[in-house]
Amino acid sequence: MPLDALRRAGRETVSGLPREFWWLWTSTLVNRLGAFVATFMALYLTLDRGYSASYAGLVASLHGLGGVISSLGAGVMTDRLGRRPTLLVAQSSTAVSVALLGFVHHPVAIAGVAFLVGMASNASRPAVQAMMADIVRPEDRVRAFSLNYWAINLGFAVSSMAAGFIAEFSYLAGFLIEAGMTMICAIVVFAKLPESKPEPLAKEAGEPAVGLGTVLRDSRFMSVVGLSFLVALVFQQGSVGLPVAMGAAGFTAADYGMAIAVNGVLIVVLQIPVTRFIQHRDPRLLLVVSSLLAGYGFGLTAFAGSVGVFALTVCVWTLAEIVNAPTQTGLVVRLSPTHGRGRYQGMYTMSWAVAGLVAPLMSGVVIDRFGAQWLWGICAVVGTAAGLGYGLLMRRLPDEEPTTGTTRTTGPTGPAAGTTRRTSPTSGPADSLRPGATAPNPAPAPAPAPATISEPVPVPAPTSSGVAVPVPLPMSVPPQAPLARPAGPGAAATEAGTPKGR
């Protein structure tokens, strides 16, 4: 019986998500399975090339700076050019720049190419998150983002182990393998993923376009970005502050490896079952609790004196990471206008990229001047502040958008190749035209009687081929626009609705 229950839970976890999501998920997994540069860049520069630790830190900072800059640019590209072109450009550029990094030897050239790698690799994140929000129903988004985050960590865990063996053979082989895997991702996107950028509704067509200024003036969203930065600053200490503190306390690199391995194992094992528990919970409570768990999980590190206790503290803040990652990403989608998702996701991605730059500086200065205990105390304070901030900010969070309205996605081979149309609150899987499906040409139906806005739009019955033919809306019924946030500076119509990458 427990085995049957486990199988049923697995089917429920993966069922109901569109085919396009799974191709995007596969692309993410393949990309992370080939990750090499982020894991072994410092060792490559210091051990293989013989550069100093200071130079390795400079290269890492330039890599992170490239990610900060590209976050906003990629968000704009995602909204203007589309999700699919942005992904193709980002992944192709990453493949070329990573391969080039393995062949350059001059320190200036290495630093410059590392900056380009950071820009290209981070540019795909706003597009991935925006596309996922486009193709997944609002009620399934937390589950979808959680599955994507699970793929990221599964790929990261496997690639980290494999990269160690590859590095013993050849660092150049590692760069070329990552370049090849990233190019495979681009091929998957080109061959299997249609463009998902929604066409603006009639009401949205007359509204001013969403620009970066609109995002910056959205006080509620920018507050979320600020709180995300605080939480990211805490989580980053697992990869920058914790190894330094353990080394200063006399622990070896192997000890740190054993402690931090708990993070990856727990995410792979618990991400899916925990998501089943939280996916319909109040996001306000989840973000408050995860922020507190993160802060106090790292705060408890001040009392750790053995590898086992360090591993227990990792368990605490890993649980916070499991809860926070999909919930935070779902909140960003919920607060983003449909036609501005790329810019909003780019700003959110930038909060993590900036935290990746600030966290190493913060941990180094605090540990050198005051000691590791102060660093962990600061983490507890920052986590508490973030939790209180979420509690105050989200008291009037807009309700999540029901699955209504009309959203159409046009693929590369024409409207019929990638069309998803929802025409009523009760529409289901039969109301979608998937890539490759062709609707028959039925006899024209008599025009429906004029309806008021309160009347439900009739749901078409499926034809003999199993594909429903959408019924045009009566002229007297305007298309239903997404739910709107409370008015504020730069507020726009909004649709209600991750160190290893979110």
Side-chain angles (χ1 to χ4, degrees):
M1 181 61 67
L3 183 59
D4 293 338
L6 185 63
R7 290 174 178 172
R8 183 171 62 254
R11 288 194 299 267
E12 292 174 355
T13 299
V14 302
S15 64
L17 296 172
R19 182 178 59 184
E20 293 84 357
F21 166 80
W22 290 111
W23 283 116
L24 191 60
W25 183 89
T26 301
S27 174
T28 299
L29 179 62
V30 171
N31 180 268
R32 299 312 300 171
L33 285 172
F36 180 86
V37 173
T39 306
F40 281 91
M41 173 63 78
L43 293 177
Y44 166 69
L45 294 175
T46 55
L47 299 182
D48 190 68
R49 292 298 178 191
Y51 292 111
S52 66
S54 298
Y55 175 76
L58 173 63
V59 172
S61 297
L62 288 173
H63 182 275
L65 180 61
V68 171
I69 295 174
S70 69
S71 298
L72 297 180
V76 174
M77 286 179 60
T78 298
D79 285 337
R80 288 189 176 180
L81 302 181
R83 285 65 159 138
R84 186 171 179 266
T86 303
L87 276 175
L88 289 173
V89 170
Q91 292 177 341
S92 300
S93 301
T94 302
V96 173
S97 57
V98 166
L100 180 61
L101 187 59
F103 290 99
V104 295
H105 303 293
H106 193 278
V108 175
I110 291 176
V113 176
F115 175 79
L116 295 178
V117 171
M119 286 189 66
S121 60
N122 205 53
S124 63
R125 291 178 184 174
V128 168
Q129 293 165 350
M131 178 175 278
M132 204 167 293
D134 295 338
I135 63 181
V136 176
R137 297 179 300 178
E139 60 268 28
D140 292 331
R141 282 177 186 154
V142 169
R143 180 160 58 103
F145 287 130
S146 179
L147 287 168
N148 189 66
Y149 194 61
W150 182 81
I152 289 173
N153 282 275
L154 176 63
F156 179 80
V158 174
S159 66
S160 297
M161 293 185 293
F165 295 103
I166 294 172
E168 292 184 0
F169 170 72
S170 169
Y171 281 97
L172 177 60
F175 287 115
L176 295 179
I177 290 174
E178 176 167 353
M181 298 286 273
T182 307
M183 189 59 72
I184 291 175
C185 295
I187 295 173
V188 169
V189 170
F190 179 79
K192 295 296 183 179
L193 287 176
E195 177 55 58
S196 68
K197 180 182 175 182
E199 293 183 0
L201 300 175
K203 184 177 180 180
E204 295 174 344
E207 295 180 354
V210 175
L212 288 177
T214 309
V215 182
L216 293 172
R217 291 190 299 270
D218 190 337
S219 57
R220 182 202 295 272
F221 180 79
M222 290 307 298
S223 298
V224 171
V225 171
L227 294 173
S228 172
F229 168 77
L230 293 180
V231 173
L233 202 61
V234 174
F235 280 128
Q236 291 280 359
Q237 299 308 322
S239 58
V240 295
L242 185 59
V244 175
M246 290 185 69
F251 293 94
T252 66
D255 294 332
Y256 168 73
M258 291 177 61
I260 200 63
V262 175
N263 173 258
V265 171
L266 284 181
I267 289 177
V268 171
V269 173
L270 296 181
Q271 184 73 65
I272 292 178
V274 169
T275 298
R276 286 176 52 80
F277 177 76
I278 69 172
Q279 63 179 337
H280 299 303
R281 308 284 175 175
D282 187 355
R284 307 164 180 84
L285 179 62
L286 295 176
L287 289 173
V288 170
V289 171
S290 63
S291 300
L292 294 176
L293 275 178
Y296 289 104
F298 279 99
L300 291 173
T301 310
F303 304 100
S306 66
V307 176
V309 178
F310 276 112
L312 287 177
T313 65
V314 172
C315 291
V316 176
W317 57 259
T318 297
L319 182 60
E321 185 179 356
I322 291 172
V323 174
N324 180 271
T327 308
Q328 179 75 62
T329 309
L331 174 64
V332 172
V333 173
R334 191 167 174 175
L335 296 177
S336 307
T338 303
H339 52 292
R341 278 178 181 155
R343 290 173 173 85
Y344 275 72
Q345 291 287 355
M347 186 65 70
Y348 167 65
T349 302
M350 191 185 72
S351 69
W352 279 82
V354 173
L357 286 178
V358 175
L361 300 176
M362 183 185 87
S363 61
V365 170
V366 172
I367 291 176
D368 287 343
R369 294 191 177 184
F370 305 104
Q373 286 74 13
W374 277 88
L375 176 64
W376 309 130
I378 291 174
C379 286
V381 172
V382 172
T384 302
L388 292 174
Y390 279 120
L392 294 173
L393 178 68
M394 299 176 62
R395 287 182 297 179
R396 294 187 301 170
L397 183 68
D399 293 332
E400 189 163 15
E401 177 191 328
T403 310
T404 59
T406 300
T407 301
R408 190 179 66 182
T409 302
T410 302
T413 58
T419 300
T420 302
R421 188 179 180 92
R422 294 192 297 268
T423 57
S424 78
T426 58
S427 61
D431 301 313
S432 298
L433 293 180
R434 297 301 180 193
T438 304
N441 296 320
T452 63
I453 193 66
S454 60
E455 295 178 348
V457 180
V459 181
T463 64
S464 59
S465 64
V467 179
V469 180
V471 177
L473 290 171
M475 294 302 294
S476 61
V477 182
Q480 184 174 354
L483 298 177
R485 294 195 305 273
T494 179
E495 175 176 355
T498 52
K500 288 158 283 191
R502 286 196 169 204

